[in-house]
Amino acid sequence: MPELPEVETVRRRLEPELVGRRLERVDIHDPRLTRPFDPAGVAAELEGERIVALDRRGKYLVFRFESGRVLLVHLRMTGQLLHGNGDALSAEDAHRRAVVRLDDGSDVIYRDIRRFGTWLLVEPGELGPYFEGRVGHEPLARGFTQKRLGEALAGRQAPVKAVLLDQRRLAGVGNIYADEALWRAGIHPCRPAGELSDAEIATLHRGVRAALRAGIALQGATLNDYRQPDGASGRMQDEFKVYGRGGEPCDRCGALIEKTRVAGRGTWYCPSCQR
DNA sequence: TTGGCGTCCTGGAGGC
DNA sequence: TGCCTCCAGGACGCCA
């Protein structure tokens, strides 16, 4: 499922291909994609727009247009953005939810098996209010310090993993990278967030950033559905320390990795070296 | 304000 | 072989 490293990988691949291009035709096949707005209306508004920048905020892809409008694309669980010739990209694919024809004749295909993904067209000046209170610190930004992480965790009785997954506090961390970050930090995912010491917060701060950077360096993790815009798989799944490795030995201490459930999510950890 | 749970959604795995 | 049930999880709404 696309988290910060996967979304950033998609952004980096698409940016040189899409910036400067005009949207000639937009076909949105899934009425759920643009809820609560009419997909035909959204498509009509998008046609003719020129992309001037492609950014990322948390797990959102931010398409900025010449008019000042912004299209926010969230891939959720199984969303994919593919770029190429639409006819060659399996036109019969039942999971195609939208197709955008660009002015160079290429296509951007949006496919989504579980249909959780969303497209939201935001008017100039509305992006800030939309993100306000909804999307928290960027964990790889220069300003995300150990102090900022400490503030996000302070006073919370919820499991530390649940707080890492809370996008209002930390943007972009999902189930995979939360587990991987906690393993790197040697912290048990069920520990109450507010009880971590300053030293543990410092270790977790390094662990979160290291896990996310590793994911970006390996072009994300491909488990089932995530693909890069050219269809290639990521390689992070080959470097997982705990996620999905229940019953296998821990790389650090050799104890068998266990699985539990935290915040309603499957959670893998080492019972020996994560305290 | 906080934390937990249900909902949306579909494909795959496992059981019978 | 076919059918049924369960599981996976990001964001959001609801409730205690």
Side-chain angles (χ1 to χ4, degrees):
Chain A
M1 58 299 307
E3 302 180 27
L4 188 154
E6 288 75 28
V7 177
E8 177 62 18
T9 299
V10 170
R11 190 199 69 77
R12 291 182 183 186
R13 290 297 178 95
L14 288 179
E15 184 181 38
E17 308 290 336
L18 270 52
V19 171
R21 299 266 69 90
R22 191 178 295 281
L23 280 54
E24 284 204 336
R25 180 172 170 171
V26 179
D27 292 307
I28 299 173
H29 312 305
D30 183 358
R32 289 184 49 86
L33 186 60
T34 57
R35 274 193 318 184
F37 303 107
D38 169 39
V42 172
E45 295 289 334
L46 287 171
E47 286 179 359
E49 289 279 16
R50 184 183 297 280
I51 301 169
V52 295
L54 176 53
D55 300 329
R56 179 192 56 75
R57 181 77 173 91
K59 299 176 191 173
Y60 288 90
L61 281 165
V62 182
F63 292 81
R64 297 183 187 275
F65 299 115
E66 206 167 36
S67 66
R69 284 170 158 173
V70 166
L71 178 67
L72 293 179
V73 173
H74 199 305
L75 305 175
R76 300 283 182 114
M77 297 292 298
T78 54
Q80 301 172 2
L81 279 171
L82 305 171
H83 179 241
N85 181 294
D87 297 329
L89 292 170
S90 59
E92 301 306 313
D93 182 358
H95 300 124
R96 270 189 180 202
R97 309 300 179 194
V99 181
V100 177
R101 172 61 56 89
L102 303 176
D103 61 357
D104 63 351
S106 67
D107 295 300
V108 176
I109 312 292
Y110 178 76
R111 71 187 302 272
D112 190 350
I113 295 172
R114 294 187 200 173
R115 302 169 66 201
F116 282 173
T118 53
W119 285 20
L120 181 63
L121 186 58
V122 178
E123 295 298 325
E126 292 182 358
L127 187 61
Y130 181 80
F131 281 148
E132 184 73 36
R134 185 180 262 119
V135 186
H137 297 298
E138 278 291 330
L140 295 181
R142 193 179 288 258
F144 179 67
T145 59
Q146 174 190 335
K147 182 168 177 251
R148 291 273 177 273
L149 178 60
E151 289 168 355
L153 301 174
R156 303 293 300 276
Q157 286 304 302
V160 60
K161 176 173 175 177
V163 179
L164 292 181
L165 292 175
D166 186 347
Q167 301 300 299
R168 294 167 297 184
R169 294 173 186 270
L170 203 56
V173 176
N175 201 40
I176 293 174
Y177 293 93
D179 281 3
E180 294 295 304
L182 287 164
W183 180 85
R184 280 172 155 81
I187 295 171
H188 195 289
C190 293
R191 287 273 302 281
E195 293 182 7
L196 297 190
S197 67
D198 288 346
E200 288 174 321
I201 292 170
T203 311
L204 181 58
H205 179 257
R206 288 193 294 273
V208 167
R209 289 162 73 104
L212 294 174
R213 284 184 174 135
I216 292 172
L218 294 170
Q219 283 91 48
T222 298
L223 296 178
N224 297 309
D225 307 301
Y226 163 71
R227 290 286 184 279
Q228 297 176 55
D230 61 0
S233 299
R235 304 193 310 280
M236 181 62 184
Q237 68 280 1
D238 301 328
E239 302 298 324
F240 283 165
K241 300 301 183 185
V242 284
Y243 184 85
R245 291 190 54 206
E248 296 181 29
C250 171
D251 284 359
R252 191 161 46 206
C253 71
L256 298 184
I257 292 163
E258 293 184 1
K259 183 184 181 186
T260 184
R261 203 160 182 85
V262 179
R265 304 289 176 248
T267 298
W268 288 267
Y269 67 101
C270 173
S272 173
C273 62
Q274 284 182 253
R275 297 293 182 179

